[in-house]
């Protein structure tokens, strides 16, 4: 019985324990759900026995969060302002080497917008030839030391348009939970470089100038002294720089210098003037001096630059030049006088010569005229004489002679009518001759002349005239048979240039020379005359008999003036 | 059941001043007691802000917390006591519509 009782009791105990555990489980589960629903008002800390109000804590937490948020926003804003407002270009590069931040300075420096450049590798901004450069490569790698990159070296950045820009970069590591970032600050030093170059140029100009160039602060102390100043005044730079400049100013020029410096101090320009300065050896030197104010950044005058040029030589040169100019002017005046009087003399001579020439011309005309008249008179006498002679042969002789005299007379007529009294125009002369001959002979013929522009001196024209006279006379007397109609008779007279010679041709279409005909052996008066006259003009006569008689005289053309 | 009904409910509700869940919990408990255990419940309300030691002594660290000391077994309900069915079950009460 008691065993059963024990069992029952044991069973009850178990059942109660089980029930209690189930209750505890249910309570625990309910508690968890209540906590999850936020139905807790306070939690008491066992150690301090102080209840903590959950709502208050939450409130404080939320307030704390808001504050933190605000602080974060403010911090970000401050960062942005600093980043964007920086006077240098700022670039943040992540551990992978990509640009994660770039400010507006970077935009203007490299020509990319922030949108374009953020996300790119840093190499985008580095010229190709530098990309393998260890300073660049390691520079943006995770290097824990902040430092300037390429110090004392010329670094270049690559702009979007491909051009390069002189830059200087310093790097600062920024360690974050995401790894080591690098903040690079980039300075555009193009302007500085240009300024450096300009500065070097100025220094070179001053250094190599032959003018003395020095600067003098307002208290009178020499601040710079170039080699030009040393060679002009004898003092070395170390003797002058830091000391007063007064010893180069002679006593009597101190006042003048003070006035100039007062002008400079007042910011006014001092025009270059000529004065005197004292050399180290005590001698004086004439100089042209220019003072210019040197201003600081605030436009205040802090010093004077003084440029001096030795004008001893130029003064001497100037005096010499003035003397030379004077001398030259005197010489000029003298020369002009001489030219004037000489011109007067010459024009007088010229006038005299002109009148002499006119006299000579009229004299020559007169001579030719008289010769012609005389010859005409002889011709008339011969004609009168001939008429009284009964013997036909003798009369023919007289008439022939008359023809000769007449042709010479015509030549003189042509001569005194021609502009050039020494030469006769052959066209004109032959025309006259032909006209006269036609009048003399009954036998009619058509005479054609073909004469080049030829002017011959009298000593050639006379024989030519006589040859023509002879041949035409001959033709008119003998060439044409009486039965022929005079209209068919034709005589050609040609004078033409052939190379350096002249060729005189007289040809007719008459019966020709009696054959057999050998002019060389024929001793008639006419042919003898023609051969002799041809010889006079240093020519040769040739005769032909095809289709009438033909005579050709070829002789050298006179050297000069034949064309005029 | 009759025995149960005659048993006096000894309850203690730990609250944190007039914090919102505590106020609601007091209201819920009061309404359940009035409706289902009128006159049979001994309810003490302890404000742990005034008397933190009481809570610690009873092992109550989180409020609002209802502890049923009697009849045994001891039960604990955390929160604003909005689950009426669970509360009745813990307190061993029946819904008595016709009171």
């Amino acid at each position: 019985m008691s065993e059963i009782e024990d069992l029952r009791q044991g069973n009850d105990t178990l059942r109660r324990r089980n029930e209690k555990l189930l209750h505890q489980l249910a309570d625990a589960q309910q508690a968890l759900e209540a906590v999850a629903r936020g139905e807790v008002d306070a939690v008491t800390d066992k150690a301090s026995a102080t209840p903590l109000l959950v709502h208050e804590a939450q409130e404080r937490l939320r307030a704390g969060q808001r504050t933190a948020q605000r602080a974060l926003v403010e911090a970000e804003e401050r960062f942005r302002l600093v980043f964007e407002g920086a006077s240098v270009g700022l670039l943040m590069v992540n551990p992978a080497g990509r640009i994660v931040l770039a400010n507006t300075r970077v935009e203007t420096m490299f020509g990319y917008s922030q949108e374009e450049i953020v996300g790119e590798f840093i190499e985008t901004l580095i010229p190709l030839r530098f990309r393998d450069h260890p300073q660049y490569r390691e520079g943006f790698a995770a290097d824990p030391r902040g430092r300037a990159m390429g110090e004392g070296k010329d670094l270049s950045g690559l702009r979007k348009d491909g051009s390069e820009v002189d830059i200087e970069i310093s790097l600062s590591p920024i360690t974050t939970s995401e790894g080591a970032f690098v903040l690079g600050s980039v300075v555009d030093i193009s302007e500085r470089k240009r300024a450096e170059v300009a500065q070097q140029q100025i220094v070179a100009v001053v250094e190599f100038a032959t003018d003395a160039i020095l600067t003098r602060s307002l208290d009178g102390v020499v601040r710079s002294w170039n080699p030009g100043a040393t060679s002009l005044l004898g003092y070395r730079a170390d003797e002058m720089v830091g000391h007063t400049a007064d010893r180069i100013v002679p006593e009597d020029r101190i006042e003048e210098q003070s006035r100039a410096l007062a002008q400079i101090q007042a910011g006014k320009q001092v025009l270059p003037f000529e004065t005197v300065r004292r050399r180290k050896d005590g001698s004086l030197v004439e100089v042209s001096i220019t003072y210019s104010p040197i201003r600081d950044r605030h436009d205040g005058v802090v010093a004077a630059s003084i440029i001096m040029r030795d004008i001893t030589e130029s003064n001497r040169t100037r005096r010499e030049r003035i003397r030379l100019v004077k001398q030259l002017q005197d010489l000029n005046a003298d020369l002009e006088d001489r030219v004037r009087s000489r011109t007067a003399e010459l024009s007088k001579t010229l006038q005299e010569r002109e009148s002499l020439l006119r006299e000579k011309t009229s004299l020559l005309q007169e001579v030719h005229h008289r010769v012609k008249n005389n010859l005409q008179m002889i011709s008339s006498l011969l004609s009168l004489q001939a008429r009284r002679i009964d013997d036909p042969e003798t009369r023919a002789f007289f008439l022939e002679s008359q023809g000769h005299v007449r042709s010479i007379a015509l030549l003189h007529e042509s001569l005194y009518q021609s502009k050039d009294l020494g030469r006769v125009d052959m066209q004109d002369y032959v025309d006259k001759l032909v006209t006269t001959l036609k009048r003399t002979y009954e036998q009619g013929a058509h005479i054609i002349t073909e004469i080049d522009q030829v002017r011959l001196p009298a000593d050639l024209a006379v024989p030519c005239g006589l040859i023509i006279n002879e041949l035409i006379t001959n033709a008119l007397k003998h060439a044409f048979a009486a039965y022929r109609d005079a209209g068919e008779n034709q005589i050609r007279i040609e004078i033409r240039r052939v190379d350096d010679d002249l060729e005189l041709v007289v040809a007719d279409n008459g019966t020709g020379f009696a054959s057999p005909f050998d002019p060389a052996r024929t001793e008639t008066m006419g042919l003898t005359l023609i051969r002799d006259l041809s010889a006079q003009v240093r020519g040769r006569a040739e005769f032909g008999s095809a289709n009438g008689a033909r005579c050709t005289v070829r002789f050298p053309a006179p050297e000069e003036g034949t064309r005029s | 059941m009759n025995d149960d009904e005659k048993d006096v409910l000894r309850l203690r509700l730990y609250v944190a001043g007039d914090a919102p869940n505590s106020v609601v919990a007091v209201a819920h408990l009061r309404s359940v007691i009035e409706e289902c255990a009128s006159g049979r419940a001994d309810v003490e309300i302890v404000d742990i802000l005034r008397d933190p030691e009481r809570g610690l002594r009873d092992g109550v660290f989180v409020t609002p917390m209802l502890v049923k000391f009697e009849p045994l077994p001891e039960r604990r309900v955390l929160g604003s006591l909005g689950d009426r069915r669970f509360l009745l079950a813990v307190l061993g009460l029946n819904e008595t519509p016709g009171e």
Side-chain angles (χ1 to χ4, degrees):
Chain A
M1 278 301 275
S2 65
E3 271 183 28
I4 290 169
E5 193 60 28
D6 283 352
L7 275 172
R8 190 178 291 140
Q9 278 178 359
N11 200 23
D12 280 352
T13 309
L14 278 174
R15 192 172 49 82
R16 275 197 300 274
R17 191 177 293 161
N18 194 25
E19 213 167 63
K20 189 180 176 186
L21 282 172
L22 280 173
H23 284 143
Q24 282 177 341
L25 193 64
D27 288 357
Q29 195 165 346
Q30 186 277 331
L32 280 174
E33 287 167 6
V35 168
R37 282 195 301 272
E39 292 179 6
V40 175
D41 280 337
V43 177
T44 308
D45 177 29
K46 218 187 281 184
S48 65
T50 314
L52 180 74
L53 281 169
V54 172
H55 288 99
E56 262 178 38
Q58 277 176 342
E59 197 50 47
R60 273 204 301 279
L61 199 63
R62 272 195 291 274
Q65 275 172 347
R66 274 196 299 273
T67 309
Q69 188 72 31
R70 209 162 38 239
L72 193 64
V73 167
E74 281 170 7
E76 272 179 359
E77 179 64 10
R78 265 201 301 279
F79 171 76
R80 204 186 61 75
L81 284 173
V82 169
F83 193 76
E84 284 301 330
S87 61
V88 297
L90 290 175
L91 278 170
M92 178 96 88
V93 178
N94 71 8
R98 286 186 191 271
I99 297 166
V100 292
L101 275 176
N103 69 354
T104 45
R105 288 273 168 179
V106 170
E107 288 187 312
T108 51
M109 220 178 282
F110 291 93
Y112 290 98
S113 71
Q114 290 180 353
E115 291 74 24
E116 285 172 324
I117 198 61
V118 166
E120 294 297 324
F121 281 106
I122 184 64
E123 277 80 5
T124 311
L125 301 180
I126 299 171
L128 260 179
R129 66 177 195 284
F130 284 121
R131 284 186 193 166
D132 289 336
H133 198 283
Q135 275 184 298
Y136 268 110
R137 224 180 27 233
E138 291 164 16
F140 278 98
D143 187 333
R145 298 183 308 269
R147 63 196 169 99
M149 213 169 95
E151 268 172 322
K153 254 185 70 69
D154 292 343
L155 286 184
S156 283
L158 181 64
R159 294 169 52 84
K160 187 182 178 185
D161 63 11
S163 62
E164 292 188 11
V165 54
D166 293 320
I167 52 171
E168 204 173 76
I169 304 177
S170 59
L171 303 173
S172 323
I174 295 178
T175 312
T176 71
S177 57
E178 293 168 48
F181 283 63
V182 175
L183 180 69
S185 47
V186 189
V187 183
D188 182 346
I189 56 166
S190 326
E191 209 48 58
R192 198 166 78 200
K193 287 220 145 184
R194 274 194 287 277
E196 276 171 15
V197 169
Q199 171 94 25
Q200 282 161 4
Q201 284 168 347
I202 290 169
V203 167
V205 165
V206 170
E207 207 55 23
F208 293 105
T210 51
D211 287 349
I213 301 173
L214 55 131
T215 53
R216 182 186 185 285
S217 52
L218 294 178
D219 55 9
V221 174
V222 174
R223 297 299 176 193
S224 74
W225 185 267
N226 80 336
T230 300
S231 62
L232 178 67
L233 296 162
Y235 292 101
R236 294 187 313 273
D238 61 284
E239 291 176 294
M240 291 304 291
V241 173
H243 301 95
T244 169
D246 289 345
R247 45 192 157 148
I248 63 168
V249 185
E251 293 267 311
D252 59 339
R253 301 291 182 166
I254 290 172
E255 170 81 30
E256 178 189 75
Q257 149 129 325
S258 307
R259 273 202 307 271
L261 289 171
Q263 289 269 87
I264 290 299
Q265 208 157 350
K268 287 179 191 156
Q269 198 69 35
V270 177
L271 294 174
F273 61 93
E274 292 183 6
T275 184
V276 177
R277 286 291 177 267
R278 190 180 299 283
R279 290 202 181 94
K280 190 180 181 184
D281 64 10
S283 63
L284 295 174
V285 55
E286 291 176 63
V287 295
S288 163
I289 195 163
T290 307
Y291 289 85
S292 315
I294 297 176
R295 297 166 191 277
D296 62 9
R297 282 184 304 164
H298 312 295
D299 232 25
V301 177
V302 291
S305 103
I306 301 172
I307 302 175
M308 279 182 258
R309 174 169 296 181
D310 183 352
I311 54 166
T312 318
E313 194 58 34
S314 79
N315 275 352
R316 191 183 299 142
T317 311
R318 194 168 56 195
R319 283 193 288 272
E320 181 68 7
R321 201 175 59 215
I322 290 168
R323 198 179 62 75
L324 282 173
V325 166
K326 181 77 180 65
Q327 210 170 19
L328 205 61
Q329 282 169 344
D330 290 351
L331 279 172
N332 254 352
D334 184 40
L335 203 62
E336 273 171 23
D337 280 352
R338 275 159 53 181
V339 166
R340 252 195 305 278
S341 62
R342 188 87 184 102
T343 307
E345 273 171 39
L346 280 172
S347 67
K348 196 174 156 216
T349 311
L350 209 60
Q351 279 169 0
E352 283 168 5
R353 284 193 57 175
E354 270 173 12
S355 66
L356 274 173
L357 203 62
R358 273 197 298 276
E359 261 170 53
K360 181 196 152 195
T361 305
S362 58
L363 214 60
L364 267 174
Q365 281 176 331
E366 185 63 28
V367 166
H368 287 309
H369 192 71
R370 287 194 187 177
V371 168
K372 188 212 83 176
N373 285 349
N374 289 345
L375 287 171
Q376 245 166 13
M377 193 176 290
I378 294 168
S379 166
S380 303
L381 284 172
L382 285 171
S383 177
L384 281 172
Q385 206 79 18
R387 273 185 226 155
R388 272 194 242 151
I389 291 170
D390 292 333
D391 178 31
E393 253 184 64
T394 312
R395 192 171 66 213
F397 170 77
F398 270 90
L399 288 173
E400 247 173 64
S401 294
Q402 190 214 349
H404 295 158
V405 171
R406 194 179 48 222
S407 56
I408 297 172
L410 284 173
L411 183 91
H412 281 278
E413 192 178 68
S414 280
L415 269 173
Y416 83 70
Q417 285 169 350
S418 84
K419 283 174 283 178
D420 173 4
L421 291 169
R423 286 171 184 270
V424 66
D425 184 294
M426 291 310 283
Q427 173 83 58
D428 176 58
Y429 174 47
V430 172
D431 283 349
K432 282 191 170 107
L433 201 58
V434 166
T435 310
T436 311
L437 286 170
K438 270 175 150 179
R439 270 207 307 272
T440 309
Y441 294 93
E442 291 165 20
Q443 180 64 54
H446 197 52
I447 300 181
I448 299 162
T449 59
E450 254 181 56
I451 296 170
D452 289 353
Q453 177 70 37
V454 178
R455 297 165 71 85
L456 294 180
D459 60 337
L460 288 179
V462 169
C464 285
L466 289 173
I467 289 169
I468 294 166
N469 179 70
E470 198 59 39
L471 288 168
I472 292 176
T473 306
N474 207 41
L476 291 172
K477 273 159 68 178
H478 307 297
F480 306 115
Y483 57 81
R484 262 174 69 157
D485 181 357
E488 293 174 34
N489 298 338
Q490 195 184 73
I491 304 174
R492 291 183 65 84
I493 306 170
E494 297 173 8
I495 300 177
R496 57 173 179 260
R497 298 172 185 285
V498 179
D499 301 330
D500 287 339
D501 294 337
L502 289 172
E503 206 169 68
L504 166 65
V505 179
V506 178
D508 62 58
N509 61 351
T511 50
F513 297 110
S515 61
F517 173 73
D518 181 0
R521 300 239 179 126
T522 308
E523 293 300 323
T524 64
M525 162 71 183
L527 292 181
T528 307
L529 187 66
I530 286 166
R531 269 200 298 272
D532 289 351
L533 291 167
S534 299
Q536 265 185 44
V537 295
R538 287 184 293 133
R540 250 175 67 81
E542 280 174 16
F543 298 92
S545 202
N547 302 320
R550 179 184 182 87
C551 175
T552 305
V553 179
R554 185 163 174 163
F555 61 97
E559 288 253 316
E560 197 184 324
T562 49
R563 277 155 208 267
S564 64
Chain B
M1 287 287 262
N2 282 347
D3 290 343
D4 282 348
E5 279 178 0
K6 281 161 191 165
D7 283 343
V8 173
L9 276 170
R10 200 160 66 82
L11 305 176
R12 198 174 293 158
L13 180 61
Y14 296 87
V15 296
D18 49 7
N21 288 307
S22 300
V23 173
V24 173
V26 171
H28 279 145
L29 181 64
R30 185 161 288 146
S31 104
V32 166
I33 297 302
E34 281 174 5
E35 286 167 27
C36 306
S38 188
R40 296 194 286 120
D42 169 11
V43 177
E44 183 188 6
I45 290 177
V46 176
D47 182 357
I48 56 119
L49 297 185
R50 288 189 187 160
D51 193 359
E53 294 297 329
R54 284 282 301 277
L56 285 179
R57 253 197 326 271
D58 298 332
V60 171
F61 304 109
V62 185
T63 45
M65 170 83 83
L66 174 69
V67 181
K68 182 194 77 168
F69 291 102
E70 284 175 16
L72 286 171
E74 183 183 301
R75 298 286 300 267
R76 294 176 174 230
V77 182
L78 182 67
S80 54
L81 310 179
D83 187 348
R84 186 178 174 101
R85 201 135 45 110
F86 183 77
L87 185 60
L88 287 172
V90 167
L91 298 182
L93 299 175
N94 293 318
E95 197 72 73
T96 48
E99 208 217 32

